[in-house]
Amino acid sequence: MSNIKDRKRFKLLPEMGGALARNYARQRGTEPQIENWRKQAGELTAGLPEGAKILEVAFGPGYFAVELARLGFSVTGLDVAPTFVQIASEYARAQGVHVEFREGDVAAMPFDDESFDFVVCQAAFKNFVWPVKALDEMYRVLRPGGTAVVQDMNRDATDGEIVREVESMKIGKLAGLSVRQALGGLRRRAYTPVDFSGLVAETAFRTCEVTTVGIGLDVRLTRP
């Protein structure tokens, strides 16, 4: 890997918006998936003090951010897609939960230094055009002692693991086929554990802990 801080990984994907974003929100909003996010929210934030400030990067439909806010945390979401800002804001209002959803680029976040206790990014990092900048921005907005968690696909995931992951979503055969095809394509953009560790070495974090879970990677980064 190079040490060029502004290394561009690939061309930007078309922004997910309009009907495409709303269809994605419907697919990801089944009750089993909401229950899974609710469980993840509790597990991921265990040990954080009440009222801690959390940033979710690339929040999509906002389901996870809402579950984090239900636990009593101060939650902010940042996403490059304005349609997701609208969808997530509507969902939070309907749920009676306050989350500040903002439009912005992870590689140039509109937040002050040391603004958050915890940063989380799920299922989106593989699509970031400027991955080193994105991680350095996470470092910048974290308070000393704060943690960032990146959860995304593992490039080493097998076809069988993808099938089992989609089956667990309980979204029906037709939608399941579409999701399996999408995950197969996204896997080609994903990182292996070794790749991600090498990427982190180029950032202010320097080191990380990487574990594999199902089809995914779980990366923990701490700002000293």
Side-chain angles (χ1 to χ4, degrees):
M1 289 225 175
S2 71
N3 288 317
I4 302 175
K5 288 291 183 180
D6 61 351
R7 176 168 53 83
K8 187 175 182 180
R9 190 169 179 231
F10 41 55
K11 292 182 179 180
L12 183 65
L13 286 173
E15 180 185 297
M16 184 178 284
L20 182 61
R22 295 192 180 278
N23 182 58
Y24 176 82
R26 284 192 294 272
Q27 289 182 350
R28 300 296 287 172
T30 64
E31 188 56 34
Q33 290 179 89
I34 296 295
E35 286 294 330
N36 185 51
W37 273 308
R38 187 168 297 141
K39 178 182 177 183
Q40 285 184 7
E43 293 174 346
L44 206 57
T45 59
L48 280 181
E50 184 176 354
K53 296 189 67 175
I54 296 177
L55 170 65
E56 183 180 11
V57 173
F59 53 79
Y63 302 133
F64 188 61
V66 165
E67 294 307 321
L68 291 170
R70 287 192 206 278
L71 297 176
F73 300 110
S74 173
V75 182
T76 300
L78 184 72
D79 200 293
V80 72
T83 304
F84 275 141
V85 175
Q86 180 182 0
I87 291 171
S89 297
E90 291 171 353
Y91 177 70
R93 283 195 296 269
Q95 295 294 308
V97 173
H98 174 71
V99 179
E100 181 185 3
F101 291 112
R102 298 181 60 175
E103 180 184 348
D105 186 354
V106 64
M109 294 196 214
F111 306 117
D112 293 336
D113 295 354
E114 302 180 8
S115 294
F116 299 97
D117 302 294
F118 189 81
V119 176
V120 60
C121 177
Q122 291 188 319
F125 193 90
K126 60 186 167 297
N127 298 322
F128 291 168
V129 178
W130 306 102
V132 171
K133 285 184 177 180
L135 288 172
D136 277 335
E137 278 291 272
M138 292 181 194
Y139 184 96
R140 181 184 66 79
V141 302
L142 271 176
R143 292 169 177 162
T147 298
V149 176
V150 177
Q151 296 175 323
D152 211 326
M153 281 199 75
N154 179 3
R155 191 180 179 92
D156 291 336
T158 66
D159 290 341
E161 287 171 332
I162 289 177
V163 169
R164 289 191 290 275
E165 177 71 17
V166 175
E167 288 176 345
S168 72
M169 297 178 184
K170 299 180 181 178
I171 55 177
K173 291 184 178 179
L174 186 59
L177 176 60
S178 176
V179 173
R180 284 199 302 274
Q181 291 174 338
L183 288 176
L186 290 171
R187 178 176 53 185
R188 292 193 292 272
R189 304 171 70 90
Y191 297 89
T192 67
V194 172
D195 288 341
F196 209 108
S197 294
L199 186 71
V200 172
E202 298 183 36
T203 73
F205 284 109
R206 300 301 179 194
T207 62
C208 64
E209 295 181 7
V210 184
T211 57
T212 58
V213 182
I215 68 169
L217 299 179
D218 184 290
V219 183
R220 307 292 171 119
L221 310 107
T222 301
R223 174 169 179 171

